[in-house]
Amino acid sequence: MIENALIVLAIGDNSFHLSRLDTLLTTHLNEKGNVVSSHITLQDTKDNKVLDEIRKEYIKTNSPFFIKSYTAERSIEIPSSSYLIKTEYRIKQPSYLQRLGIVTVVSFIASIIIISVLFYLLFMINRRFIEIANMERSFHGAIHDLKSPLAYVFFQLSLLEEEETDLGKKASLSLTADRVTFLTDKIMWLLKSARNINKIEEVDKEVVSLYDMLEQIENEMHTMFPKKKISFKYNVDADFTMRVLPDLMEASIRTIIENAVKYSSDAPAVEVSAIRDVENLQIAISDNGVGMTKQQMKNIFKPYYTSDKVHGNGIGLYYAQSIVKAHGGGISVTSNAGKGSTFLITLPNL
């Protein structure tokens, strides 16, 4: 009450100066930051008029983002008079608060970006999973559909063999019928094993000769591509063996060799080398074919990817890689466009 009375007396004597109050407040507020502007008014609330006003600008700024406004009021009342002092100060926030605000905004934006990328990756993974599932169903269906035509071919070959009188032709028909039986058995095995090709159990593996496997694939290549003069070179010891699931590993190696012959000139040259160390064995398959670009090498093992839109379906090398991975190994490729390719199969040396 005494303080209010003293202020009223100072106002009446014109000795109450808002500039002094502004100086006091500005000095105090500058301890927390930089004062941008101030606005103080003294009002006579009983007569509803402004008695005095001060408006100052200390710092010019074009960015209101880091400026905070502080307001305060003081009501002064005695029985004969009533006054109101209103203050508003705009203060530039300290640099550490500005940095904190920037970090907060950047962190928020980064979080939004990361969440968006994660959702996109989840979407792509789900999409790829569906594509692979559809591809596996199509693959199994295609293999299954081969059984009936092969059974018909075997039946016709058996009839021709019975009716044939020439011993040479009869032996040829018998050999062909045996190959059809072999392919039928292989299809049945693929239908059984391809249901879960993520991992090959050790108990299902057998010790097989790589050289014998290569000779069988070579005979098939000459039959499949009779117009090509194919040359094979093996840097493989006759006693080189590997512990694998025979039919699947043969299918993987055959796919690579078949591509080497298919995408070469009329005189394909295929060279196969095999070495082993304490931990791994490696099979290198090289050719003199058309080779691949860096982009093709990057995508060659992806399902449905093919640069041959006429004869390719994008399944072969993906399936070949799946087989090798199921054995605990991997496939890599090096190539130069127009100069051929080399596929390297690495398997555990068990």
Side-chain angles (χ1 to χ4, degrees), residues 13-32:
D13 295 340
N14 293 322
S15 60
F16 183 82
H17 302 292
L18 291 182
S19 58
R20 295 177 182 176
L21 178 62
D22 178 59
T23 301
L24 178 65
L25 291 175
T26 302
T27 302
H28 174 72
L29 292 174
N30 267 330
E31 296 177 358
K32 298 182 180 179

Side-chain angles (χ1 to χ4, degrees), residues 74 313 316 335:
R74 172 69 184 269
N313 52 33
S335 181

